[in-house]
Amino acid sequence: MEPAKRFAYRLALMLLMLIIAAAAAVVSAAGRREPPPASAEEHAYLLREYQDQIGVFRPENADPVRMIHVYVDTLPAADQLELRGEGIPVPDEEKLLSLIEDLES
């Protein structure tokens, strides 16, 4: 076989292998599921401002499950920003009770 034909044959074979590898990667990636956003799964409660006070929310609920009758305006600026922004994630009932005690004092 002539060197030019041999080179063209090898080049075509390499391109074919590259296409097959790329297709396999795409199929593999399409089969994977992305994990759910960590923020929704990592906490049981979320403290946020609700009607100028602190509402205790469950991640799956739009309405608060409990109100903490503390006006957000009376809290330190950093806490106000968190409560008016994304909220304060709380991992469990024990931490929730501790935070409520701190906020009410």
Side-chain angles (χ1 to χ4, degrees):
M1 186 181 291
E2 294 176 29
K5 283 186 177 180
R6 189 179 312 159
F7 177 76
Y9 176 75
R10 286 183 179 173
L11 182 61
L13 187 59
M14 288 176 25
L15 286 173
L16 181 60
M17 290 172 58
L18 181 62
I19 291 169
I20 291 171
V26 168
V27 168
S28 174
R32 286 189 221 135
R33 290 186 175 204
E34 291 295 319
S39 61
E41 299 298 323
E42 289 181 0
H43 59 272
Y45 300 97
L46 185 67
L47 300 182
R48 289 193 320 234
E49 180 180 39
Y50 185 80
Q51 298 178 348
D52 299 323
Q53 297 180 22
I54 302 170
V56 179
F57 294 82
R58 296 287 271 178
E60 65 273 5
N61 292 1
D63 295 321
V65 294
R66 179 175 177 180
M67 290 296 298
I68 303 171
H69 299 288
V70 173
Y71 285 93
V72 174
D73 290 347
T74 64
L75 299 172
D79 291 337
Q80 289 181 37
L81 284 173
E82 279 188 290
L83 290 165
R84 291 180 174 143
E86 295 293 318
I88 300 172
V90 183
D92 55 41
E93 184 82 20
E94 182 179 332
K95 182 67 174 169
L96 175 65
L97 295 175
S98 174
L99 279 172
I100 290 172
E101 188 177 306
D102 290 346
L103 290 166
E104 289 179 332
S105 61

